[in-house]
Amino acid sequence: MTNLTLALDAMGGDFGPRITVPATLQALRLYPFLHVIMVGDRSQIEPLLSHLESDILSRIELVHTTEVVKMCDRPVHALRNCKQSSMRLAIELVRDKKAQACLSAGNTGALMAISKVLLKTLPGIDRPALVSCLPAVNHKPVYLLDLGANVSCCSETLFQFAVMGSVLCEAVDKNPAPKVALLNVGIEEIKGNDQVQQAGQLLQQSPQLNYAGFIEGDAIYSGNVDVIVCDGFVGNITLKTSEGIARLLVHQLKKGLTQGFFVRLLAKLIAPRINSVLNQMNPDHYNGASLIGLRGIVVKSHGSADESAYLQAISLAVTEAQRRLPKMIEERLESILLDINN
Amino acid sequence: MTNLTLALDAMGGDFGPRITVPATLQALRLYPFLHVIMVGDRSQIEPLLSHLESDILSRIELVHTTEVVKMCDRPVHALRNCKQSSMRLAIELVRDKKAQACLSAGNTGALMAISKVLLKTLPGIDRPALVSCLPAVNHKPVYLLDLGANVSCCSETLFQFAVMGSVLCEAVDKNPAPKVALLNVGIEEIKGNDQVQQAGQLLQQSPQLNYAGFIEGDAIYSGNVDVIVCDGFVGNITLKTSEGIARLLVHQLKKGLTQGFFVRLLAKLIAPRINSVLNQMNPDHYNGASLIGLRGIVVKSHGSADESAYLQAISLAVTEAQRRLPKMIEERLESILLDINN
């Protein structure tokens, strides 16, 4: 396996190096070909690196900075003022080809803004999209984009998201013809707003994509399609609503199963089964959203990710770097656009 | 209790009179003050009314028609052509003051279009909204609107929805100061699209409303607010996504708890507890969405509603008629608008 270098914003997220460093060490043990450049405050990171095996230590580089993009910083502010922030320096390492991908658990808006300016979008792509993989029936993954990087999108942008989502699914899941759908209020052609209807027409004219038409909210988790496209306003609310209702169900179930001695006892005996279902729905187990459409790889972790969730996000960055995702998207998009124009 | 008359589109829904008639008979037994006018095909309805107590029979009137709005009919088509349909005749009974409310499980778009034209919107309301009550933590209901009647909305329309939702919650739940929130991609003031931001400003200027700011998707079911406002595109997808993920969890849980003899046995013993939670999340138990903002009461049942779900929707129509909801909304809106303009 060819060596691969990731740049990590070690300071991002709710817990900073306390989570990002141990998770990174796990990743280094898991992937012998992996090198990392940790960007952040030396005084917080170095104590977490003591007593390390020399093999692991030799694959870690540290770039020191004390500046951090705060969660409440506006994207424009972060872009203009946080020039020495751990987030920006990590993205610069990708821009300067010193790393093949970068990862941050920090402020999403700032990550999007800085990445877009430093890395630029691919030819044919107007705006990067935030995409993540959700659990569907039978553990079949489904990609949902955009998750909030673009609160409003024209039909052309939705079309580009569909192409990018399809290529991502091809690359990561080795799915030769991912089924792509547009999220809408009904499956009939007459349903929805102008953007969705026009995006549907564009997709129908693209024989290279496996377009499956409109899909409703209740079919997202059915496992019938592989990629679901919507604007960032809808996608963000859809994702968070799913997390909310899953949490409500878990809460109610736990409450129902802890009232009464007999019920509590029986529930305890089958707790592993119940927990395995609940864990499957836990957003942390699907951690790692990718900013795709850029000329470099940027992965976003949940700010509240724990060690294993952060490791998930690292693994996603590794997979995308191994597959050279931006190059794949660029080539497929070029070919699809040529096809439409002819 | 004053007598009250409901007009029922007996033909609407996936099962027509087979569900609507028995559910109506249950309602008549439950509410001794209730009279109903069933609109539909006499040959299908009358056989279901045989051997009835005379008290029940005396409170049923039948308006015969064989025309039905089909689920695939476009709203404009239904409006122009289905002049003798069971749906339209039921709405006309409300317009002509022969019934205090009407109920249909038929085509939502057609119901919205015909209701708007026949009943007209209240003064100060541009567009009716479809609203439903969802289950939150601790069985606290939360009203979500719009659920799909208006795929795109300006800030003024969102503001009107907030007023209507607040008055609905006051009327139905006797909540003196419902907390109203706007569904958005973040809780910070800078977040969201123009419509949501401007609607937020309008709501901040309305001291008569208990405006709680923006809310994210994962807080819908938290029980922290009483009314959540969004456009129909977002609302429809949010509602259906919730149903989808609830169904996925139920599916996974059932699968997990039926593999292996020991697990199956234990799960069976605590099945009532598990089922009570799952039933609570069952959309049928929250059946009945209201088209509010009209000069009459129109309630929509799920097309797939079973008898008990349809009964829920009848009860909702009864409650709204008892509280004279349109009048309440009209008065509150007038007072709120006066307050803003002064």
Side-chain angles (χ1 to χ4, degrees):
Chain A
M1 185 69 66
T2 328
N3 283 348
L4 200 148
T5 305
L6 290 191
L8 297 164
D9 166 13
M11 311 309 287
D14 301 349
F15 312 107
R18 275 189 298 140
I19 289 294
T20 61
V21 174
T24 304
L25 299 180
Q26 278 196 56
L28 287 165
R29 289 191 184 99
L30 197 63
Y31 305 114
F33 55 84
L34 181 64
H35 292 241
V36 297
I37 308 175
M38 291 184 186
V39 188
D41 184 350
R42 182 186 298 277
S43 71
Q44 289 184 55
I45 297 171
E46 275 184 347
L48 298 162
L49 300 177
S50 57
H51 309 299
L52 273 186
E53 312 91 287
S54 63
D55 161 55
I56 299 292
L57 210 51
S58 70
R59 292 188 278 136
I60 299 174
E61 192 182 321
L62 211 160
V63 172
H64 174 69
T65 183
T66 55
E67 192 180 348
V68 174
V69 174
K70 289 192 283 294
M71 290 309 254
C72 58
D73 283 341
R74 286 181 187 242
V76 176
H77 170 91
L79 186 62
R80 290 204 190 129
N81 301 294
C82 307
K83 300 258 164 115
Q84 290 303 310
S85 65
S86 55
M87 181 187 284
R88 183 173 180 126
L89 295 182
I91 299 169
E92 283 179 357
L93 287 165
V94 175
R95 180 197 62 190
D96 301 340
K97 312 263 186 256
K98 289 178 183 153
Q100 277 91 59
C102 75
L103 172 61
S104 174
N107 181 324
T108 309
L111 187 68
M112 161 86 176
I114 300 172
S115 299
K116 194 177 167 196
V117 169
L118 293 190
L119 301 181
K120 308 271 184 290
T121 55
L122 289 168
I125 298 291
D126 299 319
R127 299 158 79 174
L130 195 65
V131 55
S132 190
C133 186
L134 313 175
V137 167
N138 301 328
H139 298 263
K140 198 167 168 276
V142 56
Y143 292 89
L144 181 66
L145 71 165
D146 172 49
L147 293 175
N150 311 278
V151 285
S152 45
C153 298
C154 65
S155 55
E156 181 64 39
T157 304
L158 291 175
F159 171 75
Q160 291 170 10
F161 290 175
V163 175
M164 296 196 293
S166 180
V167 178
L168 177 70
C169 183
E170 285 174 40
V172 175
D173 295 332
K174 308 262 178 136
N175 181 336
K179 281 171 90 173
V180 181
L182 288 166
L183 192 55
N184 199 354
V185 296
I187 57 168
E188 302 85 0
E189 262 184 40
I190 54 158
K191 289 291 176 75
N193 54 30
D194 294 347
Q195 298 91 295
V196 168
Q197 289 199 0
Q198 286 160 20
Q201 285 163 13
L202 287 170
L203 286 165
Q204 269 167 351
Q205 295 157 21
S206 313
Q208 290 196 40
L209 289 180
N210 187 5
Y211 176 55
F214 296 145
I215 195 174
E216 294 186 73
D218 54 358
I220 292 176
Y221 298 95
S222 65
N224 292 338
V225 300
D226 305 297
V227 178
I228 299 174
V229 175
C230 56
D231 69 40
F233 195 87
V234 172
N236 182 284
I237 290 172
T238 297
L239 181 69
K240 287 181 184 158
T241 299
S242 302
E243 295 178 7
I245 193 122
R247 229 172 273 138
L248 171 64
L249 254 169
V250 170
H251 167 93
Q252 304 286 43
L253 205 59
K254 280 194 177 150
K255 216 176 75 180
L257 294 179
T258 49
Q259 283 166 351
F261 175 74
F262 185 60
V263 168
R264 205 158 53 226
L265 181 75
L266 293 177
K268 229 175 206 163
L269 290 170
I270 52 172
R273 281 301 173 84
I274 295 177
N275 287 338
S276 97
V277 172
L278 303 186
N279 284 339
Q280 197 196 325
M281 309 306 299
N282 183 338
D284 275 354
H285 291 240
Y286 289 81
N287 189 34
S290 314
L291 261 180
I292 58 173
L294 296 165
R295 291 166 199 248
I297 296 165
V298 180
V299 170
K300 166 76 176 69
S301 160
H302 250 290
S304 60
D306 62 12
E307 209 174 303
S308 87
Y310 196 81
L311 178 61
Q312 284 268 345
I314 296 178
S315 297
L316 179 65
V318 167
T319 305
E320 292 187 6
Q322 284 177 325
R323 308 262 203 277
R324 298 168 191 270
L325 192 68
K327 195 80 200 145
M328 280 189 76
I329 294 179
E330 184 176 353
E331 287 168 3
R332 290 283 284 131
L333 189 72
E334 197 175 10
S335 146
I336 288 167
L337 291 178
L338 262 177
D339 218 23
I340 291 179
N341 295 335
N342 287 334
Chain B
M1 184 70 70
T2 326
N3 283 347
L4 199 148
T5 304
L6 290 191
L8 297 164
D9 166 13
M11 311 308 288
D14 301 350
F15 313 106
R18 274 189 298 138
I19 289 296
T20 60
V21 174
T24 303
L25 298 179
Q26 279 196 57
L28 286 166
R29 290 193 183 96
L30 199 61
Y31 305 113
F33 55 84
L34 182 64
H35 292 242
V36 297
I37 307 174
M38 292 185 184
V39 188
D41 185 348
R42 184 185 296 277
S43 71
Q44 290 184 55
I45 297 171
E46 275 184 344
L48 298 162
L49 301 179
S50 57
H51 308 298
L52 272 187
E53 311 92 287
S54 63
D55 161 55
I56 300 293
L57 210 53
S58 70
R59 291 189 276 137
I60 300 175
E61 192 183 321
L62 210 159
V63 172
H64 174 69
T65 183
T66 54
E67 194 182 344
V68 174
V69 174
K70 289 193 283 296
M71 291 307 258
C72 57
D73 284 340
R74 286 181 188 242
V76 176
H77 171 88
L79 186 61
R80 290 202 191 132
N81 301 292
C82 305
K83 299 257 165 116
Q84 290 303 312
S85 64
S86 55
M87 180 187 284
R88 182 173 180 128
L89 295 182
I91 298 169
E92 283 180 357
L93 287 166
V94 174
R95 181 197 60 190
D96 301 340
K97 313 267 187 247
K98 291 180 181 149
Q100 276 91 61
C102 75
L103 171 62
S104 175
N107 181 325
T108 311
L111 188 67
M112 161 86 175
I114 300 173
S115 301
K116 194 178 167 196
V117 169
L118 294 190
L119 302 181
K120 308 272 185 291
T121 54
L122 290 168
I125 299 291
D126 299 321
R127 298 157 80 174
L130 195 65
V131 55
S132 191
C133 186
L134 313 176
V137 167
N138 302 330
H139 300 261
K140 197 166 168 284
V142 56
Y143 292 89
L144 182 66
L145 73 165
D146 173 50
L147 293 176
N150 311 279
V151 287
S152 45
C153 299
C154 65
S155 55
E156 182 64 38
T157 304
L158 292 175
F159 171 74
Q160 292 171 9
F161 290 176
V163 175
M164 297 196 291
S166 179
V167 178
L168 178 70
C169 183
E170 285 175 40
V172 176
D173 295 333
K174 308 263 178 135
N175 181 335
K179 282 172 90 173
V180 181
L182 287 166
L183 192 55
N184 198 355
V185 297
I187 55 168
E188 302 85 358
E189 263 184 39
I190 54 159
K191 288 291 176 74
N193 54 32
D194 294 345
Q195 297 91 293
V196 168
Q197 288 198 1
Q198 285 160 20
Q201 285 162 14
L202 286 171
L203 285 165
Q204 270 167 351
Q205 295 157 22
S206 312
Q208 291 197 36
L209 289 180
N210 187 4
Y211 176 57
F214 296 145
I215 194 174
E216 294 186 73
D218 54 357
I220 292 177
Y221 299 94
S222 65
N224 292 338
V225 299
D226 305 298
V227 178
I228 300 174
V229 175
C230 57
D231 70 40
F233 195 88
V234 171
N236 182 284
I237 290 172
T238 298
L239 180 69
K240 288 182 183 156
T241 300
S242 301
E243 295 178 6
I245 195 121
R247 231 173 270 138
L248 173 63
L249 252 169
V250 170
H251 168 93
Q252 305 285 43
L253 204 57
K254 280 195 178 150
K255 216 176 77 181
L257 293 179
T258 49
Q259 285 167 350
F261 174 74
F262 185 59
V263 168
R264 205 158 55 224
L265 181 75
L266 293 177
K268 233 179 202 158
L269 291 170
I270 52 171
R273 281 303 174 85
I274 294 177
N275 287 337
S276 97
V277 172
L278 303 186
N279 284 339
Q280 196 196 326
M281 309 307 296
N282 183 338
D284 276 352
H285 292 241
Y286 289 81
N287 190 33
S290 315
L291 262 180
I292 56 173
L294 295 165
R295 292 167 197 247
I297 297 167
V298 180
V299 170
K300 166 76 176 72
S301 158
H302 251 289
S304 62
D306 63 12
E307 211 176 300
S308 86
Y310 196 80
L311 178 60
Q312 285 268 345
I314 296 179
S315 297
L316 179 65
V318 167
T319 306
E320 291 187 5
Q322 285 178 323
R323 309 263 202 275
R324 298 169 192 267
L325 191 70
K327 196 78 203 148
M328 281 191 74
I329 294 180
E330 186 178 351
E331 287 168 4
R332 290 285 282 134
L333 189 73
E334 198 177 6
S335 145
I336 289 167
L337 291 178
L338 262 177
D339 217 26
I340 291 179
N341 295 335
N342 287 337

